[in-house]
């Protein structure tokens, strides 16, 4: 069976009935090379998501080149230079399923609804990001060059 | 087929418990100013709740005895009590916390309505009772009958939950001392409850604190007084065994 087929089967098997089903995606090695959406990611929108503590949550754990943000976390590597260290496809997998890269990671999976426990009713069946938000954030991270 | 398998993997964290001699109260992670506020009874805003509680202790509901009418001087009768709670309750066959114990006295011994969770009254009387044990070592959860409930609380503490899929242990055992945005992650020892939180601008219970951490990972809230919530409180107290009670603590 191909990986895509396995993935589709996986989504069908674990995703609860949600209004908007997750887009299927294909993992190749340590990356998801193909975008999740037709509309290309918008780096400016991506930046706004990353610095927003309620939407992106990134700065709870990470620091980064955001001088206007006073409160940044130190649980995770600084995001500066991310775009030099990783390809766009690697960044996409990092957001979608961080535990593919590190099974012990505390970084949440931003595009996943299965395998979660005791999710609050308001968030049940919903991924943290929409497919478009994933693309926007990936586009922004790719601009963070050393 | 790896992805299919991944769906059904049970998420557990592999956190290691904090060695006993590395345990530190939340007080240790605060600024000098907040520590000074906690240490000085005239500056500690939690002392207002304790004083309110003292008035309630002496106040008899219509046609019933006051707490003091049965228990006398709290400084004697309530000394060390809070350090043992949650404690196994014979009649209910499971642990109850200090708030629940006080409400049993309200309903069974005073024939008065129970105080509602998180009200000024319940937090004040609980703070007054707990303040009588200030400085005494925590002993809750160390008896045989509490054991299964300590274990249930531990399981909940170590279980990844919510949309963010994080366990309590991943922050409080594995990453204490680091910063989550602006807040230093403490070790989550419940040494000072009910406590005054500057963020709340009021005195609140341990259950309220637990609910905000649960809310933070976008998990289903635990109900006030729910068995899982009390098991979690019990586990945290057991985890802090031997550490001195500090009620009323001040926290950021």
């Amino acid at each position: 069976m191909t990986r895509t087929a396995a993935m589709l089967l996986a989504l069908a098997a674990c995703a609860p009935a949600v209004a908007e089903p997750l887009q299927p995606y294909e993992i190749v090695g340590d990356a998801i090379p193909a975008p999740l959406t037709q509309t290309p990611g918008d780096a400016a929108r991506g930046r706004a998501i990353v610095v927003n503590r309620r939407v992106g949550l990134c700065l709870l754990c990470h620091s980064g080149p955001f001088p206007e943000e006073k409160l940044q976390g130190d649980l995770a590597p600084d995001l500066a230079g991310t775009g030099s260290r990783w390809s766009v496809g690697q960044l996409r997998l990092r957001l979608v399923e961080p535990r593919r890269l590190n099974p012990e990671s505390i970084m949440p999976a931003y595009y996943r609804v299965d395998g979660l426990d005791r999710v609050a009713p308001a968030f049940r069946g919903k991924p943290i990001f929409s497919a478009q938000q994933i693309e926007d954030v990936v586009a922004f991270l790719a601009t963070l060059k050393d | 087929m790896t992805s299919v398998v991944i769906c059904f993997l049970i998420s557990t964290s592999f956190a290691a418990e904090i060695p006993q001699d590395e345990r530190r109260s939340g007080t240790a992670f605060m600024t000098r100013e907040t520590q000074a506020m906690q240490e000085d009874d005239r500056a500690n805003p939690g002392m207002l709740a304790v004083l309110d509680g003292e008035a309630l202790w002496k106040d008899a509901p219509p046609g019933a005895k006051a707490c003091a009418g049965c228990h006398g001087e709290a400084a004697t009768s309530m000394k060390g009590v809070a350090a043992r709670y949650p404690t196994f309750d014979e009649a209910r066959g499971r642990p109850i916390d200090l708030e629940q114990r006080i409400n049993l006295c309200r309903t069974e011994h005073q024939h008065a309505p129970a105080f509602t969770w998180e009200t000024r009254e319940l937090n004040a009387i609980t703070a007054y009772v707990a303040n009588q044990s200030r400085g005494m070592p925590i002993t809750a959860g160390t008896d045989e009958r509490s054991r299964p409930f300590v274990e249930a609380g531990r399981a909940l503490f170590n279980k990844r939950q919510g949309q963010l899929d994080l366990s309590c242990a991943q922050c409080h055992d594995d990453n204490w001392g680091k910063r989550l945005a602006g807040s230093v992650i403490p070790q989550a020892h419940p040494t000072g409850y009910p406590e005054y939180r500057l963020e709340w601008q009021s005195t609140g219970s341990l259950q309220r604190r637990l609910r905000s951490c649960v809310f933070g990972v976008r998990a289903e809230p635990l109900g006030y007084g729910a068995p899982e919530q009390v098991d979690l409180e019990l586990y945290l107290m057991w985890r802090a065994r031997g550490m001195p009670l500090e009620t009323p603590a001040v926290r950021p």
Side-chain angles (χ1 to χ4, degrees):
Chain A
M1 196 191 304
T2 66
R3 284 203 102 134
T4 322
M7 201 64 228
L8 286 170
L9 203 151
L11 291 172
C14 350
V18 274
E20 217 178 299
L22 297 191
Q23 297 299 316
Y25 52 84
E26 189 184 359
I27 299 172
V28 180
D30 64 351
I32 301 175
L36 303 180
T37 60
Q38 303 278 318
T39 318
D42 177 316
R45 271 202 317 251
R47 188 187 195 279
I49 294 168
V50 167
V51 298
N52 186 318
R53 248 181 292 280
R54 298 236 171 108
V55 180
L57 312 164
C58 317
L59 300 189
L60 291 177
C61 298
H62 290 274
S63 54
F66 314 109
E68 77 282 12
E69 294 297 324
K70 292 280 165 280
L71 307 175
Q72 307 192 7
D74 66 3
L75 301 177
D78 194 283
L79 292 176
T82 304
S84 310
R85 288 194 292 277
W86 308 100
S87 73
V88 159
Q90 287 173 318
L91 290 171
R92 195 175 284 114
L93 179 60
R94 160 55 65 187
L95 291 175
V96 168
E97 278 191 67
R99 268 174 236 157
R100 281 283 182 149
L101 303 167
N102 169 10
E104 302 283 298
S105 185
I106 56 166
M107 180 161 158
Y110 279 82
Y111 199 63
R112 171 178 148 186
V113 291
D114 59 85
L116 301 175
D117 223 336
R118 299 193 7 88
V119 177
F123 299 102
R124 224 167 271 163
K126 297 176 190 154
I128 301 174
F129 280 174
S130 67
Q132 194 59 54
Q133 285 175 311
I134 295 277
E135 291 307 317
D136 292 347
V137 170
V138 167
F140 169 64
L141 294 175
T143 68
L144 296 177
K145 304 277 190 195
D146 277 329
Chain B
M1 288 294 293
T2 44
S3 1
V4 179
V5 177
I6 281 173
C7 296
F8 299 108
L9 270 184
I10 298 164
S11 304
T12 42
S13 90
F14 301 89
E17 252 162 50
I18 302 169
Q20 296 237 6
D21 58 354
E22 284 174 34
R23 291 177 310 164
R24 282 197 253 148
S25 148
T27 304
F29 301 95
M30 305 194 304
T31 60
R32 271 303 311 150
E33 295 77 65
T34 317
Q35 288 174 351
M37 189 191 278
Q38 173 174 308
E39 278 154 22
D40 179 0
D41 277 354
R42 286 158 309 171
N44 182 335
M47 283 310 289
L48 294 174
V50 171
L51 290 175
D52 272 1
E54 182 173 15
L56 285 169
W57 180 261
K58 294 173 180 156
D59 187 40
K65 281 189 178 172
C67 313
C70 288
H71 293 293
E73 281 296 325
T76 321
S77 65
M78 292 293 133
K79 194 175 162 81
V81 170
R84 295 193 268 107
Y85 275 75
T87 208
F88 189 85
D89 181 70
E90 214 55 83
R92 277 141 210 93
R94 57 160 291 110
I96 56 170
D97 69 10
L98 190 56
E99 283 89 344
Q100 289 173 319
R101 174 61 253 177
I102 289 170
N103 265 335
L104 284 174
C105 279
R106 283 282 294 175
T107 54
E108 292 180 356
H109 296 309
Q110 295 184 312
H111 310 288
F115 290 128
T116 306
W117 284 98
E118 227 39 51
T119 49
R120 189 190 63 81
E121 286 85 355
L122 187 56
N123 285 332
I125 188 72
T126 308
Y128 178 63
V129 170
N131 183 242
Q132 311 307 320
S133 304
R134 187 153 64 170
M136 297 183 70
I138 292 171
T139 58
T142 48
D143 60 303
E144 252 335 285
R145 288 183 307 181
S146 296
R147 204 66 221 155
F149 303 95
V150 170
E151 289 310 321
R154 186 209 298 270
L156 195 50
F157 191 82
N158 286 307
K159 177 186 166 113
R160 285 179 182 255
Q161 54 173 314
Q163 194 195 35
L164 305 193
D165 204 20
L166 283 170
S167 71
C168 316
Q170 284 177 303
C171 279
H172 293 297
D173 281 346
D174 298 350
N175 283 295
W176 60 267
K178 295 194 189 150
R179 273 183 187 278
L180 185 74
S183 312
V184 179
I185 301 177
Q187 295 179 346
H189 297 302
T191 47
Y193 289 85
E195 73 179 15
Y196 188 91
R197 269 186 75 78
L198 300 169
E199 182 203 343
W200 295 336
Q201 294 280 300
S202 67
T203 299
S205 69
L206 176 56
Q207 296 207 14
R208 180 169 176 194
R209 175 66 246 180
L210 301 187
R211 283 166 62 97
S212 44
C213 278
V214 167
F215 178 82
V217 297
R218 301 184 175 175
E220 213 174 332
L222 296 166
Y224 278 109
E228 305 94 309
Q229 180 95 284
V230 177
D231 292 347
L232 200 47
E233 286 183 280
L234 177 65
Y235 170 65
L236 291 176
M237 286 291 274
W238 174 81
R239 191 169 161 269
R241 62 198 177 283
M243 295 172 76
L245 269 190
E246 304 176 284
T247 310
V250 178
R251 292 288 179 268

